[in-house]
Amino acid sequence: MTLFRATIMDTTGDPFTGDPAESLLADQDGGLLVRDGIILARGGFGALRAAHPREPVTELSGGLLLPGFIDTHVHYPQIRAIGGLGMPLLDWLERCALPEESRLADETYAHAVAGEFLDGLLSCGTTSALVFGAHFTSAMDVLFDGALRRGMNVTSGLVLSDRILRPDLLCSPADGLAESRALIDRWHGRGRLRYAVTPRFSLSASEAMLAACGDLMLSADVMFTSHINENHREVETVAGLFPGSRDYLDTYDKHGLVGERTVLAHNVHATDAELAVLGEQGAFVAHCPTSNSALGSGLFPLRRHIERGVGISLGSDVGAGTGLFLPKEGLQAYFMQQLLGTDGTPLSPIHLLFLATAAGARALGIADRVGDFSPGKEFDAVWVKPAAGSTYGVNLVHASDATDALARTFALATPADVAAVWLRGEQVVLPAPGERIPS
Ligand SMILES: [Zn+2]
């Protein structure tokens, strides 16, 4: 067993439905007792030490020990395609993202990209992710293998498209079905891996392809993820392609793809009818603030989601998003709600911590295992500790209380402040700056 001593913070309640202050658990001098990767006890360090006087202690002085971050929308093939600014969604896809995605047909290339992607997540304190995969089965094998060997909580799937995109990214519904089934057989449920049925979006998936996705959802206890309502031109094009559908959500819903195992990214331009269906059916929406800002997609109507009972989580949406560090997404989410004025939802630092951790666990259906530090859960954690002499360090020292410390962390922390990461109790060997761990 190991007794971790740190300033510990997590959210054990939902600040959107309850009192935010009561959602936060914070121990200035806290302790977590961990055995075989599972949290056995949590409390003040002094009391835990008295009860377990002989256990080795890992001292994490300074900074904050937080649950590992959970990214619910991030594209593995786009890790080398960040920073393409100045374009709306469909132009950015054509010029930046999809040419890079095509390169993953080469397994050697995919292997290098997977290593950079998975180590990039860990270096940013992200221990669980719903990963938008590649269009190629061999590239998915590489990703799953890398995540399995690292012990990461990764849910992902082969990206399916059968129209509109460049031809090398397309496959037939029959091939998509067969290749997805084979990947589910090989990877779903191994270690901490799970499978997500992943049509790119209705714009590039025909009725037959979406029907194949529906078959896959019925055949196994897998997740479903895709994009929705990100950009006006995209929404209008989808409406033209599906004249028989009530709205964008209906293109998925009529194939049985909207339910408690569904996470849809963006939903910036949702109708009230769509929000009602999402809320009734218990589906989740991954809000991707830096991506929405970079592509000029719009200001996320968070309040309307909360009012309809739609669960929200955070996604970095790399490579349209501007990095893998979830606290940056939290800060950008806060900015966007401020900019919405009276239509916005003021987000406290407690909301931001919830969105970056426990909310993601709920969306991914793994809240019984990760997302906070409750006894019985797996010890996935990130120690955010300011670099010596940094402005973040100066501010953290002068924080007045736990909420203030979180506010300063979301405002100022960067990936350089990720001092240590644990996956199920095992400390991750993080790449030193300029050094990459072989995948
Ligand atoms: Zn995306």
Side-chain angles (χ1 to χ4, degrees):
M1 283 197 289
T2 302
L3 184 52
F4 290 89
R5 181 182 195 181
T7 297
I8 299 168
M9 296 186 194
D10 65 349
T11 51
T12 54
D14 183 345
F16 289 104
T17 56
D19 179 351
E22 290 180 7
S23 303
L24 179 70
L25 271 183
D27 290 298
Q28 177 67 35
D29 185 12
L32 282 172
L33 190 65
V34 177
R35 184 176 64 196
D36 297 332
I38 306 297
I39 299 165
L40 296 186
R42 182 218 176 125
F45 174 76
L48 273 182
R49 187 66 180 142
H52 302 276
R54 282 188 291 279
E55 304 306 331
V57 175
T58 298
E59 297 266 0
L60 306 174
S61 64
L64 308 177
L65 185 67
L66 305 173
F69 300 130
I70 300 179
D71 190 336
T72 59
H73 185 72
V74 55
H75 293 253
Y76 134 61
Q78 296 176 10
I79 193 65
R80 297 182 178 182
I82 300 170
L85 304 179
M87 290 165 269
L89 171 67
L90 300 180
D91 296 333
W92 176 82
L93 275 172
E94 190 177 321
R95 286 189 226 162
C96 286
L98 298 183
E100 175 65 14
E101 298 222 4
S102 290
R103 296 188 184 103
L104 273 83
D106 178 338
E107 192 175 329
T108 304
Y109 190 89
H111 192 269
V113 169
E116 291 164 0
F117 174 74
L118 294 168
D119 289 339
L121 288 176
L122 290 171
S123 298
C124 286
T126 295
T127 51
S128 299
L130 176 55
V131 176
F132 222 88
H135 287 263
F136 308 100
T137 298
S138 58
M140 290 311 300
D141 283 326
V142 164
L143 176 79
F144 280 128
D145 181 63
L148 183 69
R149 286 194 285 113
R150 286 168 178 78
M152 297 171 75
N153 237 325
V154 162
T155 302
S156 189
L158 181 70
V159 179
L160 301 172
S161 290
D162 64 344
R163 63 179 174 190
I164 293 181
L165 307 184
R166 45 192 292 153
D168 56 327
L169 297 179
L170 305 181
C171 69
S172 70
D175 287 350
L177 191 65
E179 291 182 33
S180 299
R181 282 205 169 117
L183 284 165
I184 291 169
D185 288 345
R186 278 203 291 283
W187 299 108
H188 181 61
R190 281 184 70 185
R192 306 172 97 190
L193 305 179
R194 291 187 309 151
Y195 197 84
V197 176
T198 311
R200 184 159 204 113
F201 49 179
S202 294
L203 191 142
S204 67
S206 68
E207 294 277 12
M209 184 63 94
L210 294 171
C213 292
D215 288 349
L216 289 167
M217 290 302 291
L218 290 174
S219 68
D221 183 27
V222 293
M223 293 203 63
F224 177 80
T225 194
S226 195
H227 298 95
I228 192 167
N229 290 323
E230 179 175 1
N231 165 289
H232 285 304
R233 205 175 123 211
E234 167 214 14
V235 175
E236 287 162 13
T237 308
V238 167
L241 289 166
F242 292 88
S245 290
R246 189 181 62 240
D247 47 40
Y248 200 150
L249 183 67
D250 192 45
T251 65
Y252 299 126
D253 192 27
K254 69 183 173 193
H255 293 289
L257 303 174
V258 179
E260 293 175 355
R261 290 180 279 137
T262 299
V263 179
L264 293 168
H266 302 302
N267 213 27
V268 174
H269 306 291
T271 66
D272 287 342
E274 288 174 311
L275 289 169
V277 172
L278 288 168
E280 285 161 13
Q281 298 185 197
F284 290 81
V285 167
H287 173 33
C288 306
T290 69
S291 167
N292 293 165
S293 303
L295 298 176
S297 299
L299 293 163
F300 181 65
L302 193 149
R303 174 180 289 179
R304 290 172 57 224
H305 283 71
I306 299 301
E307 286 172 351
R308 301 284 183 160
V310 182
I312 305 296
S313 54
L314 277 184
S316 66
D317 197 23
V318 156
T322 59
L324 295 168
F325 192 52
L326 260 282
K328 182 158 97 169
E329 297 301 327
L331 181 65
Q332 188 70 17
Y334 164 82
F335 287 155
M336 294 172 92
Q337 293 307 308
Q338 292 295 103
L339 292 169
L340 275 166
T342 54
D343 290 332
T345 299
L347 294 175
S348 73
I350 299 168
H351 288 101
L352 302 188
L353 179 61
F354 175 75
L355 284 169
T357 58
R362 293 178 186 206
L364 269 59
I366 52 176
D368 58 329
R369 285 178 276 149
V370 295
D372 64 57
F373 291 136
S374 299
K377 295 199 177 178
E378 298 169 9
F379 183 65
D380 279 5
V382 52
W383 182 29
V384 182
K385 185 185 182 190
S390 67
T391 304
Y392 172 35
V394 168
N395 275 268
L396 198 56
V397 166
H398 290 93
S400 58
D401 58 20
T403 305
D404 192 22
L406 280 178
R408 293 168 191 251
T409 297
F410 276 91
L412 287 162
T414 72
D417 301 305
V418 172
V421 176
W422 290 263
L423 288 168
R424 222 174 180 277
E426 294 287 328
Q427 187 170 350
V428 175
V429 179
L430 295 174
E435 180 185 300
R436 193 175 73 74
I437 298 174
S439 62

